[in-house]
């Protein structure tokens, strides 16, 4: 899952970003609302975590602008503002959940998982496509009784493929979904990552689900589509 995390306090930003990354998410962490505003105009995210009080543009303003643009990804507001009217303001701005500081990391991750489960693609902590099952809690993929563990990056790539089955995904789309903003993967990084994912998927006899589309990118196609 691609997450935009906006928090101006480095002491808060770092542990939250680390916890999200360790859970297998691709995280863009920024410290001000203006940078977040630009990122939201350029990229698509699966979850937004917004601090209320931010330099230049507040989290509440970002949330209102995001909803006004018709965007639907869940928004978790994090803030020291804990009165009922303030919570009402945050939720009415378009936030789906509201977490008061100081933040407990276990509770924070539980709320992230709960927001993720709202996607119709997820059942519990599992994303399924045909008989291929990707488990969020263990970063494993399972099919026909076989299971294999994935690295964080392999998990992010397979999740992105499974969220967009049977679609040709360009290398640029995949780079934006899997690599964090500001990072520049080496020229062969995607080729290497796809090869590693295919090697993992051999264990569950699904390596051939990942197709290379010459000159464009890749596509995840379940077996029955190969036959049609």
């Amino acid at each position: 899952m691609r997450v935009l995390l906006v928090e101006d306090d480095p002491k808060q930003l770092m542990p939250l970003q680390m916890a999200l990354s360790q859970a297998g998410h691709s995280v863009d962490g920024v410290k001000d609302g203006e940078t977040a505003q630009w990122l939201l105009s350029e990229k698509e995210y699966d979850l937004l975590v917004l601090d209320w009080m931010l330099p230049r543009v507040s989290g509440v303003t970002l949330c209102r602008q995001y909803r006004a643009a018709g965007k639907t990804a869940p928004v978790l507001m994090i803030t020291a503002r804990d009165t009922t009217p303030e919570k009402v303001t945050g939720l009415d701005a378009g936030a789906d959940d509201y977490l008061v500081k100081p933040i407990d990391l276990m509770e924070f991750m539980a709320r992230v998982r709960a927001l993720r489960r709202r996607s119709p693609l997820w059942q519990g902590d599992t994303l399924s496509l045909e008989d291929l099952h990707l488990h969020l809690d263990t970063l494993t993929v399972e099919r026909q009784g076989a299971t294999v563990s994935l690295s964080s990056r392999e998990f992010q790539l397979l999740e992105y493929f499974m969220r967009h089955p049977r679609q040709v995904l360009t290398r640029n789309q995949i780079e934006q979904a899997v690599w964090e903003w500001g990072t520049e993967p080496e020229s062969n990084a995607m080729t290497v990552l796809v090869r590693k994912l295919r090697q993992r998927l051999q264990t569950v006899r699904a390596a051939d689900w990942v197709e290379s589309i010459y000159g464009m990118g890749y596509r995840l196609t379940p077996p029955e589509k190969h036959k049609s």
Side-chain angles (χ1 to χ4, degrees):
M1 185 165 66
R2 189 171 186 86
V3 181
L4 177 62
L5 169 63
V6 194
E7 166 62 74
D8 64 326
D9 183 354
K11 294 181 180 178
Q12 296 281 339
L13 176 66
M14 292 303 293
L16 295 178
Q17 187 164 3
M18 185 175 298
L20 288 165
S21 297
Q22 288 176 343
H25 304 301
S26 175
V27 187
D28 289 339
V30 297
K31 300 176 183 176
D32 68 88
E34 195 171 67
T35 304
Q37 205 172 37
W38 178 80
L39 283 172
L40 288 171
S41 69
E42 295 290 320
K43 299 175 179 292
E44 296 294 330
Y45 291 93
D46 304 304
L47 172 69
L48 278 60
V49 180
L50 305 177
D51 185 19
W52 183 317
M53 299 297 292
L54 293 169
R56 303 187 183 94
V57 182
S58 75
V60 168
T61 298
L62 280 174
C63 190
R64 288 198 182 102
Q65 291 175 345
Y66 185 73
R67 294 302 185 215
K71 303 293 184 66
T72 59
V75 176
L76 172 58
M77 188 75 65
I78 55 175
T79 179
R81 298 188 173 195
D82 60 356
T83 68
T84 296
E86 289 168 335
K87 292 177 182 177
V88 170
T89 298
L91 294 169
D92 283 349
D96 298 89
D97 197 3
Y98 193 101
L99 186 58
V100 175
K101 296 179 180 180
I103 293 176
D104 181 282
L105 277 181
M106 288 183 63
E107 181 181 1
F108 171 74
M109 291 307 301
R111 289 178 185 250
V112 167
R113 291 193 295 273
L115 290 171
R116 183 180 198 166
R117 287 194 293 267
R118 294 186 181 185
S119 168
L121 295 174
W122 288 89
Q123 297 177 347
D125 287 332
T126 301
L127 177 64
S128 298
L129 176 65
E130 304 294 343
D131 60 351
L132 189 71
H133 308 292
L134 184 65
H135 297 290
L136 169 66
D137 53 346
T138 56
L139 304 192
T140 58
V141 61
E142 172 196 353
R143 181 171 181 253
Q144 298 179 351
T147 302
V148 64
S149 297
L150 304 176
S151 71
S152 176
R153 193 80 78 188
E154 292 161 358
F155 179 89
Q156 292 164 11
L157 177 59
L158 183 57
E159 180 190 356
Y160 187 59
F161 278 145
M162 292 179 70
R163 284 175 174 270
H164 304 85
R166 307 179 185 93
Q167 297 180 29
V168 177
L169 302 172
T170 67
R171 298 177 72 88
N172 184 56
Q173 286 176 306
I174 296 171
E175 279 188 5
Q176 291 205 16
V178 175
W179 275 271
E180 292 78 13
W181 172 66
T183 61
E184 294 186 9
E186 296 181 1
S187 59
N188 67 336
M190 187 178 304
T191 301
V192 172
L193 180 59
V194 170
R195 183 172 68 242
K196 288 182 177 179
L197 178 60
R198 282 182 171 135
Q199 290 171 347
R200 303 285 190 192
L201 292 176
Q202 282 180 353
T203 303
V204 295
R205 296 178 294 280
D208 61 343
W209 287 36
V210 180
E211 298 179 283
S212 298
I213 309 300
Y214 180 75
M216 299 185 69
Y218 301 93
R219 176 172 60 196
L220 184 70
T221 308
E224 72 281 5
K225 293 298 178 184
H226 288 297
K227 297 174 182 176
S228 61

